[in-house]
Amino acid sequence: MTEFDLMISGQLYNAEVPQLQAMRRRAAELCHRLELLSPGQAEQRQAILRELLGHTKGSFTINPGFRCDYGCNITIGERFYANYNCVILDCAPVSFGDDVFIAPNCGFYAAGHPLDASTRNSGLEFARPITVGDNVWIGGNVSVLPGVTIGSGAVIGAGSVVTHDIPAGMVAVGSPCRPLHPVP
C-alpha cells in the first residue's frame, strides 16, 4: 500500500514521502495560478479549478483566497459557492452536494494528527472524510473537523466549530457545534 492509499483509507501515513509532496506542490501551484488571475478572467479561473478539483458538476463559484492540500480529493456539486478564503485540507475525500453555500473564512480539515506526542512527532498523521449534503448553508468563520458529515438542508451558524455529525435539516451553532432546532 502506498502512503496515498493509507491516507485515503484513514490509516496513519507519512505525508512527507515524495509522491505526496509532489501532489501538494501541484495543488499549491494551481492555487497560486488562481490568485494571479484578474477578476475578469472567469473562464481561466474555471479551467484551473476544474484541473485542480477531483470532480465538479456544472456551475460553481470559488472566490479568491482558496487553498487546498491536494485538490483531487474534493468533489463539489451543482451551484456550489465558496466565498473568500476557503481552505480545504483534503487528505481524505471532502465532498459537497448541490446548492452548498459557504461564507468567507471557512475551513474544512480532513487532516488530523495523533494525540500521542511520540507518534505525532514521528511525522505520522491521519485523515477522515468530510461530507456536506445538498442545500447546506455554512456561515462565516466555520471550521469543520475530520470525519464530520453535515446533513442535507442544515444551516451552520457563523463561528461554529463542527466536531461531530450534524443531522439533516437542522440549524446548528457553537463551539462545539450543536443542533438547536429544525430549519424553519
Side-chain angles (χ1 to χ4, degrees), residues 19-36:
Q19 176 196 21
L20 295 180
Q21 287 178 335
M23 291 175 72
R24 286 193 309 277
R25 190 170 33 258
R26 174 190 174 274
E29 289 291 336
L30 289 169
C31 287
H32 179 70
R33 284 177 40 202
L34 278 174
E35 292 307 306
L36 296 176

Side-chain angles (χ1 to χ4, degrees), residues 27-65:
E29 289 291 336
L30 289 169
C31 287
H32 179 70
R33 284 177 40 202
L34 278 174
E35 292 307 306
L36 296 176
L37 296 174
S38 71
Q41 294 177 293
E43 287 179 25
Q44 294 92 328
R45 185 169 184 78
Q46 288 288 306
I48 292 171
L49 285 165
R50 288 185 194 282
E51 182 180 349
L52 174 63
L53 302 177
H55 179 75
T56 61
K57 283 187 176 178
S59 64
F60 62 90
T61 300
I62 299 176
N63 281 339

Side-chain angles (χ1 to χ4, degrees), residues 134-153:
D134 297 331
N135 301 302
V136 171
W137 176 25
I138 297 175
N141 298 302
V142 167
S143 296
V144 179
L145 301 188
V148 166
T149 295
I150 299 173
S152 292

Side-chain angles (χ1 to χ4, degrees), residues 3-160:
E3 295 299 314
F4 179 82
D5 295 330
L6 292 171
M7 177 177 79
I8 293 299
S9 68
Q11 299 179 56
L12 289 174
Y13 69 95
N14 179 352
E16 296 308 315
V17 298
Q19 176 196 21
L20 295 180
Q21 287 178 335
M23 291 175 72
R24 286 193 309 277
R25 190 170 33 258
R26 174 190 174 274
E29 289 291 336
L30 289 169
C31 287
H32 179 70
R33 284 177 40 202
L34 278 174
E35 292 307 306
L36 296 176
L37 296 174
S38 71
Q41 294 177 293
E43 287 179 25
Q44 294 92 328
R45 185 169 184 78
Q46 288 288 306
I48 292 171
L49 285 165
R50 288 185 194 282
E51 182 180 349
L52 174 63
L53 302 177
H55 179 75
T56 61
K57 283 187 176 178
S59 64
F60 62 90
T61 300
I62 299 176
N63 281 339
F66 176 73
R67 296 285 184 271
C68 64
D69 273 340
Y70 298 94
C72 64
N73 298 320
I74 300 170
T75 299
I76 60 173
E78 183 72 44
R79 295 171 301 280
F80 174 85
Y81 180 83
N83 213 321
Y84 299 100
N85 303 320
C86 181
V87 174
I88 302 175
L89 302 184
D90 62 315
C91 302
V94 180
S95 61
F96 300 91
D98 295 338
D99 300 300
V100 171
F101 294 90
I102 300 170
N105 303 312
C106 289
F108 300 83
Y109 309 123
H113 300 280
L115 296 178
D116 173 68
S118 63
T119 305
R120 183 174 59 249
N121 293 340
S122 75
L124 295 176
E125 55 188 66
F126 65 88
R128 303 285 185 270
I130 294 173
T131 304
V132 178
D134 297 331
N135 301 302
V136 171
W137 176 25
I138 297 175
N141 298 302
V142 167
S143 296
V144 179
L145 301 188
V148 166
T149 295
I150 299 173
S152 292
V155 174
I156 308 299
S160 294

